[in-house]
Amino acid sequence: YYMVCTLPDTLALVSVMWGLVFLLRQGDSIQWRLAISAAGLLGIAVLVKLPYIVFFPAFGVWIIQGLTRKNANRWRNALFLLAIALISLAPAAAWYAWVIPTWGSSGALSGIFFHLADSAEIGVIVRYHLTEMLPKTVINVAALPLLIWGAIQLIRRKGIIQLKRPKFWLLASVAASFFVYYAYEIWLISYHHDYYLLGLVPFWVLIAAIGASEAIQSRRMVLFALAFLLLLLVPYMTYRRIHPRWQDQNAEMNLDFAKYKNALRSAVPEEALVVMGTDESRCIVPYYIHKKGWGWTKSQGLKPEMLQEWINQGATFMYCDDRSVDQNPQIQAMLGPEVGRWGSVWVYSLRK
């Protein structure tokens, strides 16, 4: 599914996967060509998508491991490797230093603090990730048994689960960094942004491949047949999961925002900060109307005190497709003249 989507995340993912391959191919002695390739690919991934910085700790762990070896040149090698890492990150650092100040109130930067959800709401999101997003979209239902079987084989045979192996710590550092990243961005990932979890793909693919290999090579015909059938089912289950999303009747947004996008973009000044709703992702509507600001979901609703806070922070217009919101007397008291109506989307100015 993700390979046919023009997501920059896919390019970043491929870059970090090859970067990790080159890094894991290193032996006790440094192979400089592999080291430069690994750092360069990791740097490209970060340049394409900032969250992939979570893979860079593996390079740092590798440098630290080199310092623990009895090598007369270990400090010089460490400095060279550090320089390579910094050089590979320089383009990304320069790019983000220039562009991040223009992001304004970005949920990607604010993370979990962008919306101070209570623990119950966070729990609902985590359960959704574990029962829907990860098994059905990111992993694939048909591949899930292979993933579980592969994990069982790794634990039984103490495959990668050996703390004495240096390569384990490289992968463990990435896993730990990804967990911190997930905890910080959980509110932004929410129920829609499954591609934020693509960084897990290198891990689950390897484990699922181990499970498939173990089952196919086993002498048990039942395991062989089951693994073969599951591999055949993977593309079909992907189609079953994803195809309905492309149908208009199943759109997870109000299609009027897409239908009238050009009129909505020009309805208010380009630089204006706006309030937008309803938008379950808080990102789809701003994408279509090319505006920055704040949004609310159908279940959350727009509370008067919330709107007042956003006005205090600079909001000057409101896009609304929910009549229970703009017909609320408390909300209406904060609305200025109506700018226009496009389908179910009504645009208002906001009072200071």
Side-chain angles (χ1 to χ4, degrees), residues 11-13 15-16 40-50 52 96:
L11 173 59
L13 176 65
S15 295
V16 297
L41 287 166
L42 292 173
I44 289 173
V46 178
L47 177 61
V48 174
K49 290 291 287 189
L50 180 57
Y52 285 81
Y96 290 115

Side-chain angles (χ1 to χ4, degrees), residues 1 128 132-133 137 189-194 241-242 244-255 257 278-285 288 297-298 321:
Y1 163 60
Y128 178 82
E132 292 287 334
M133 186 177 288
T137 303
I189 298 170
S190 189
Y191 304 100
H192 304 277
H193 300 143
D194 44 75
R241 174 67 174 174
I242 300 303
R245 292 186 174 188
W246 297 95
Q247 308 304 307
D248 287 348
Q249 63 269 25
N250 294 321
E252 297 176 344
M253 61 168 291
N254 182 345
L255 291 175
F257 282 107
T278 54
D279 183 2
E280 297 304 313
S281 74
R282 293 185 178 83
C283 296
I284 295 177
V285 169
Y288 274 106
T297 66
K298 186 73 174 179
D321 67 352

Side-chain angles (χ1 to χ4, degrees), residues 12-25:
L13 176 65
V14 172
S15 295
V16 297
M17 289 175 69
W18 277 106
L20 285 178
V21 167
F22 291 142
L23 196 57
L24 292 171
R25 282 183 179 177

Side-chain angles (χ1 to χ4, degrees), residues 43 61 105 110 137 142 166 168 175 211 244 259 277 285 321:
V61 169
S105 57
S110 305
T137 303
F168 169 81
K259 182 179 180 180
V285 169
D321 67 352

Side-chain angles (χ1 to χ4, degrees), residues 50-282:
L50 180 57
Y52 285 81
I53 191 70
V54 300
F55 285 85
F56 239 97
F59 202 87
V61 169
W62 182 54
I63 294 175
I64 294 172
Q65 288 176 344
L67 290 174
T68 64
R69 298 189 182 99
K70 294 180 179 180
N71 186 323
N73 297 322
R74 63 181 184 274
W75 285 102
R76 186 188 66 179
N77 290 342
L79 290 175
F80 278 141
L81 290 172
L82 180 60
I84 291 171
L86 293 176
I87 291 171
S88 67
L89 280 175
W95 164 249
Y96 290 115
W98 177 65
V99 75
I100 283 178
T102 68
W103 289 359
S105 57
S106 169
L109 297 179
S110 305
I112 197 170
F113 303 106
F114 182 73
H115 173 76
L116 296 178
D118 57 34
S119 57
E121 187 173 3
I122 294 296
V124 171
I125 293 175
V126 172
R127 283 195 297 273
Y128 178 82
H129 291 171
L130 294 176
T131 59
E132 292 287 334
M133 186 177 288
L134 281 172
K136 296 183 180 179
T137 303
V138 179
I139 294 175
N140 189 300
V141 171
L144 189 59
L146 300 175
L147 175 68
I148 296 172
W149 184 245
I152 291 173
Q153 296 306 307
L154 280 175
I155 295 172
R156 283 178 58 190
R157 300 189 179 191
K158 298 182 179 179
I160 200 171
I161 316 298
Q162 292 187 19
L163 301 184
K164 293 182 179 179
R165 292 190 177 185
K167 292 179 180 179
F168 169 81
W169 290 110
L170 298 184
L171 297 177
S173 67
V174 174
S177 299
F178 195 91
F179 178 79
V180 173
Y181 153 76
Y182 172 77
Y184 187 74
E185 297 287 13
I186 187 171
W187 176 248
L188 186 65
I189 298 170
S190 189
Y191 304 100
H192 304 277
H193 300 143
D194 44 75
Y195 54 88
Y196 274 71
L197 300 176
L198 275 181
L200 292 172
V201 168
F203 298 96
W204 81 254
V205 167
L206 288 173
I207 299 174
I210 291 171
S213 176
E214 290 288 336
I216 290 174
Q217 293 180 29
S218 72
R219 297 180 180 178
R220 301 176 184 177
M221 184 56 65
V222 174
L223 286 179
F224 175 87
L226 182 59
F228 190 73
L229 176 62
L230 289 172
L231 290 174
L232 290 177
L233 282 175
V234 165
Y236 173 71
M237 295 306 297
T238 299
Y239 173 83
R240 285 288 303 272
R241 174 67 174 174
I242 300 303
H243 181 68
R245 292 186 174 188
W246 297 95
Q247 308 304 307
D248 287 348
Q249 63 269 25
N250 294 321
E252 297 176 344
M253 61 168 291
N254 182 345
L255 291 175
D256 282 349
F257 282 107
K259 182 179 180 180
Y260 301 105
K261 61 183 181 182
N262 292 326
L264 293 171
R265 289 172 184 176
S266 58
V268 306
E270 183 177 354
E271 69 280 1
L273 294 177
V274 305
V275 176
M276 301 159 276
T278 54
D279 183 2
E280 297 304 313
S281 74
R282 293 185 178 83

Side-chain angles (χ1 to χ4, degrees), residues 316-332:
T316 53
F317 294 92
M318 182 175 80
Y319 291 75
C320 181
D321 67 352
D322 186 348
R323 302 288 79 83
S324 67
V325 170
D326 56 19
Q327 301 305 310
N328 181 336
Q330 291 179 290
I331 296 291
Q332 286 183 330

